[in-house]
Amino acid sequence: MIAFQPTEDEAAFIDVAVSLAADKLRPIARTCEQHKEVAANLTQEAAELGFLSLEMTEDWDGLELSLISQAQIWKALSYGDLGIVQGFSGAGDAASFLRLIPDNTLLASYKPSITNGATVAWIDIQEEIQSDLTIENNCLNGISKPVRLAKDAQYVMITTTDAAEEPIVLWLDKDLCNWQVKDGDYRLGLLASGLARLHFDNVQISNNNIVAKGEQAVDLIKQASTRIRILQAAKEVGLMEAALDYATEYTAGRKAFGQEIAKFQGVSFRIATMAMEARAANHLVWQAALAVDDGDANAAGYAIRALYRAHRSVRYVTDSAVQMLGGHGFVQDFPVEKWMRDAQAQVALYGRERDLLGRRGEQLIGPGKEVSVN
């Protein structure tokens, strides 16, 4: 079993995150979903508390926390509401790229804007199965799949391959290479997360847009994707723990046929399975986060494994929570139906289990396969 004792400052951060989740995020979750955006005052408070700069380096006015500390903080915040957490403006997933290349000359001129809260969306064309984005003759064309933070993004970071099939990382500024926002009817979940498709029409790509290319891009994408997967898996653990606690409390307080429904074997078995799924996913997230912090060569594989398990578990736990509430599970007066929708949207955004299994298999049997440790 992994043991991790946070420092006094880190423990204080986690406590603040727990309080914010319970006192501010959970009560306003439905309102943010209805308005399809996070309340500005809530984003401002999260920024002032430092939660939107956990991944950024100190040179970029960030806290540069370890991944294990960030995982615990994001888990605590997501316990309040994942939709709000995913809708917080700022660098978003691109923060993991910025952390790894803080001295990049192309990005240096954007530092003031980003440190002041400019929103960045990340599109991974390599992972996409629902878009037709292509780069031909140095022009980007097509429409992306739904991407979080895309609705109000001022900048877009794209990981893809060029016409010569060489990995490349691009940076686009809306003021210089305008794109169109295709705001869709996303009824599933994460409605406050700024979901939108981005339409690029002959956007010219030049050297001024290239952050990294070739082997440098391969290494950057691998490291950043590893960090992103762990942080997203941690958020999913927070969501499933919220669903588990709510279902447990509900079943303990309800009666049927003269006894608490929690005492029925089918209910108690389901609650126990939900708890084990949440704990197993949490364990794998911590293991992966510690591997990254320790520079473990197998960290990328652990990250995929953690996200795969989190995806599987969060869908099971949130769906089970709805079932535990019976007919009430589908009523908006109770949060579990929203959590189930958010879980499904989250999985769709960050790679379905089958795709993650394929990547994990490639790692295990490929030329750079992991070394087993007894």
Side-chain angles (χ1 to χ4, degrees):
M1 177 67 71
I2 294 174
F4 172 72
Q5 294 298 323
T7 66
E8 186 174 336
D9 288 342
E10 290 169 338
F13 246 118
I14 296 170
D15 290 341
V16 172
V18 170
S19 297
L20 183 67
D23 300 338
K24 301 291 181 66
L25 272 60
R26 182 75 62 83
I28 202 174
R30 285 290 185 184
T31 300
C32 290
E33 180 176 56
Q34 291 168 1
H35 293 164
K36 294 187 178 180
E37 63 180 6
V38 178
N41 64 314
L42 197 55
T43 297
Q44 182 178 354
E45 183 172 358
E48 291 174 351
L49 290 170
F51 293 129
L52 306 190
S53 57
L54 301 175
E55 178 79 324
M56 306 292 280
T57 64
E58 294 182 3
D59 289 343
W60 283 66
D61 295 340
L63 299 178
E64 203 170 342
L65 293 188
S66 64
L67 207 56
I68 185 65
S69 296
Q70 291 189 61
Q72 294 181 82
I73 292 169
W74 283 119
K75 182 181 81 168
L77 290 170
S78 299
Y79 184 92
D81 186 69
L82 180 62
I84 290 177
V85 166
Q86 295 294 57
F88 280 138
S89 60
D93 294 324
S96 293
F97 289 87
L98 298 175
R99 176 169 180 143
L100 296 169
I101 49 172
D103 299 324
N104 183 274
T105 54
L106 169 61
L107 299 175
S109 61
Y110 293 101
K111 183 186 292 188
S113 178
I114 295 173
T115 55
N116 284 325
T119 299
V120 186
W122 172 50
I123 301 175
D124 187 2
I125 298 179
Q126 298 180 114
E127 297 280 1
E128 289 197 17
I129 58 174
Q130 299 178 14
S131 76
D132 62 351
L133 285 177
T134 60
I135 297 179
E136 295 181 1
N137 299 320
N138 294 323
C139 286
L140 177 64
N141 285 284
I143 303 176
S144 74
K145 71 174 183 180
V147 177
R148 79 179 184 98
L149 300 181
K151 187 176 180 180
D152 300 308
Q154 295 161 266
Y155 310 111
V156 172
M157 180 166 279
I158 300 178
T159 48
T160 183
T161 55
D162 60 17
E165 298 299 321
E166 189 173 32
I168 191 171
V169 180
L170 303 175
W171 179 267
L172 303 182
D173 181 338
K174 192 171 186 180
D175 290 336
L176 300 177
C177 17
N178 190 38
W179 55 80
Q180 300 298 316
V181 176
K182 301 294 183 180
D183 189 14
D185 182 15
Y186 308 120
R187 299 183 182 182
L188 186 59
L190 299 180
L191 301 185
S193 66
L195 284 173
R197 295 178 185 269
L198 298 184
H199 180 205
F200 301 91
D201 184 14
N202 285 321
V203 173
Q204 188 71 34
I205 302 300
S206 68
N207 289 333
N208 293 329
N209 301 113
I210 300 176
V211 174
K213 190 173 184 179
E215 289 301 319
Q216 182 187 14
V218 171
D219 185 58
L220 176 59
I221 293 170
K222 178 181 179 180
Q223 291 190 57
S225 296
T226 295
R227 301 182 71 87
I228 292 167
R229 285 171 177 144
I230 293 170
L231 294 176
Q232 294 303 327
K235 295 174 184 179
E236 293 176 26
V237 173
L239 173 58
M240 67 181 84
E241 289 189 353
L244 169 64
D245 289 350
Y246 196 93
T248 301
E249 183 178 352
Y250 180 89
T251 55
R254 302 283 292 185
K255 290 186 177 182
F257 305 107
Q259 66 176 335
E260 292 85 358
I261 61 176
K263 294 182 179 179
F264 290 101
Q265 189 177 75
V267 173
S268 61
F269 279 11
R270 178 60 67 95
I271 292 292
T273 305
M274 292 166 66
M276 287 188 285
E277 286 291 332
R279 289 297 87 203
N282 187 67
H283 175 85
L284 292 177
V285 170
W286 282 25
Q287 182 185 37
L290 287 169
V292 171
D293 290 338
D294 292 341
D296 191 324
N298 295 329
Y302 295 160
I304 291 178
R305 183 173 64 180
L307 185 59
Y308 166 79
R309 185 55 183 262
H311 276 359
R312 195 183 77 177
S313 296
V314 76
R315 290 193 298 109
Y316 175 82
V317 172
T318 54
D319 179 71
S320 295
V322 170
Q323 295 184 46
M324 291 297 96
L325 268 68
H328 289 165
F330 296 95
V331 178
Q332 290 194 356
D333 291 343
F334 299 86
V336 290
E337 66 86 23
K338 178 184 183 300
W339 293 340
M340 181 179 68
R341 290 187 288 106
D342 285 348
Q344 295 288 353
Q346 172 75 4
V347 171
L349 286 178
Y350 288 97
R352 296 187 180 277
E353 292 98 314
R354 183 174 180 177
D355 299 326
L356 293 170
L357 275 180
R359 284 186 171 271
R360 182 63 176 144
E362 291 172 2
Q363 290 178 333
L364 292 172
I365 64 178
K369 64 182 181 180
E370 293 178 8
V371 177
S372 298
V373 178
N374 295 322

